[in-house]
Amino acid sequence: MSLKNKVVVVYGGGGAVGGAVARAFAREGARLFLAGRRLGHSEAVAQDIASAGGSADAAAVDALDEQAVDRHLQSVIDRAGRIDIAFNAIGIPGTNILGVPLVELQVEQFFLPIMTYARAYFLIARLAARRMVANHAGVIMTVTTQHSRMGLPLSGGYGPAMAAEEALTRVLSAELAPQGIRVVGLRPQAIPETDTLKEAFEIRTKVTGMSWEQFQESLARNTHARRLMTLAEMANVAVFMASDQASGMTGTTVNLTMGTLDD
Ligand SMILES: NC(=O)c1ccc[n+]([C@@H]2O[C@H](COP(=O)([O-])OP(=O)(O)OC[C@H]3O[C@@H](n4cnc5c(N)ncnc54)[C@H](OP(=O)(O)O)[C@@H]3O)[C@@H](O)[C@H]2O)c1
């Protein structure tokens, strides 16, 4: 029970990564508030958590809307008294982002992931930090991918968006850690259980002609373990990073690329 009684908001809590993190946090005793664009997705995860004996509420919150994020955080404070952990797991479909060579990419298409991921993370972190400062404690977390540090073709503005998040993690920590707030990211390897990876495959197979198995093998080949990641493996690390056991970790992104990227 490493997160017993911690009050947690997971943005994108109805998604694959956010849902797995929320379930794992709930198993460790946290009280969950799930926020997502569409209520139904977050509600399904909240119901799973409640059925397993945990505590979770769901709300429709657009993480790009400053007023909506602020109102929701205030409602969490009103109900639970504080916020201990804010976890940003939002993700947008790759359809409008991936698969187009940079020389053919429209400027709006290039900036869509940069504006979306950076804006959501900035708003969530800033508005949560304002509440955490009062308690001189808190953890702000986000999720990126290896695109932040690798030149991968046909990924448009996705890599710059992931790099922006990792840079923001460092800057947030530099300002907030003196006030007792840790800021940490996770950079997981691709997770085959998720629709996100299946969508990335669908987009690329039109260009490469690879099968789903060949696509996974091509990614796994670059890892030391010669395999990709599971949601459970990613969520286990998220639990540790959110817990007081990781009190020495801030201003950094945990490299979960399974050896693909050197530190
Ligand atoms: N899947 C992987 O293999 C993998 C690996 C490494 C890193 N990641 C990263 O993990 C993050 C999440 O990925 P995922 O696979 O979990 O994606 P996902 O299953 O599509 O989940 C994304 C979630 O974000 C929510 N969302 C999108 N825009 C939002 C907004 N404006 N306000 C509030 N919620 C919003 C969606 O809400 P609705 O459901 O309501 O639409 C959805 O629940 C992404 O940043 C991705 O890059 C994923």
Side-chain angles (χ1 to χ4, degrees):
M1 286 284 179
S2 62
L3 300 177
K4 194 164 172 48
N5 298 329
K6 297 279 188 194
V7 178
V8 182
V9 183
V10 179
Y11 298 87
V17 167
V21 165
R23 288 182 180 95
F25 281 16
R27 279 196 296 274
E28 292 294 325
R31 177 170 180 189
L32 270 298
F33 290 86
L34 309 180
R37 221 170 12 175
R38 286 168 290 186
L39 183 60
H41 292 175
S42 302
E43 261 178 353
V45 176
Q47 274 161 18
D48 269 7
I49 290 172
S51 310
S55 166
D57 290 270
V61 181
D62 180 356
L64 301 173
D65 178 341
E66 182 170 3
Q67 305 301 324
V69 175
D70 201 42
R71 270 196 309 275
H72 177 253
L73 274 170
Q74 195 51 51
S75 76
V76 172
I77 302 282
D78 292 344
R79 293 177 63 186
R82 61 179 199 283
I83 168 170
D84 298 308
I85 299 161
F87 195 107
N88 168 36
I90 78 133
I92 54 172
T95 331
N96 294 323
I97 296 172
L98 308 174
V100 181
L102 287 171
V103 292
E104 290 167 23
L105 197 67
Q106 298 299 314
V107 68
E108 293 77 15
Q109 222 178 339
F110 174 70
F111 275 109
L112 176 66
I114 299 172
M115 297 302 288
T116 306
Y117 285 102
R119 182 184 173 96
Y121 183 30
F122 171 70
L123 285 176
I124 289 164
R126 191 188 64 178
L127 294 169
R130 284 181 184 168
R131 269 80 181 193
M132 291 171 175
V133 160
N135 301 329
H136 207 77
V139 188
I140 294 168
M141 301 179 72
T142 195
V143 194
T144 56
T145 68
Q146 58 200 6
H147 297 74
S148 63
R149 300 256 309 275
M150 287 179 82
L152 296 164
L154 303 178
S155 49
Y158 189 56
M162 297 294 106
E165 281 203 49
E166 293 188 7
L168 186 53
T169 293
R170 294 189 287 272
V171 180
L172 285 163
S173 174
E175 293 191 10
L176 296 172
Q179 303 181 68
I181 302 164
R182 293 192 296 115
V183 189
V184 287
L186 304 178
R187 188 195 303 131
Q189 183 48 265
I191 305 169
E193 294 152 89
T194 66
D195 288 344
T196 303
L197 194 66
K198 291 183 184 107
E199 187 196 34
F201 158 69
E202 297 289 345
I203 293 164
R204 286 199 168 81
T205 192
K206 290 180 194 136
V207 181
T208 62
M210 277 190 222
S211 68
W212 171 236
E213 287 69 29
Q214 288 167 331
F215 175 67
Q216 289 179 77
E217 276 162 27
S218 72
L219 298 175
R221 205 175 297 132
N222 298 322
T223 69
H224 291 179
R226 305 287 185 268
R227 68 172 179 86
L228 299 179
M229 176 150 286
T230 66
L231 279 170
E233 287 173 323
M234 181 274 312
N236 286 340
V237 178
V239 165
F240 173 73
M241 293 304 296
S243 77
D244 295 340
Q245 297 293 313
S247 57
M249 299 284 282
T250 191
T252 193
T253 297
V254 182
N255 183 356
L256 290 174
T257 62
M258 301 174 84
T260 302
L261 280 174
D262 287 337
D263 291 324

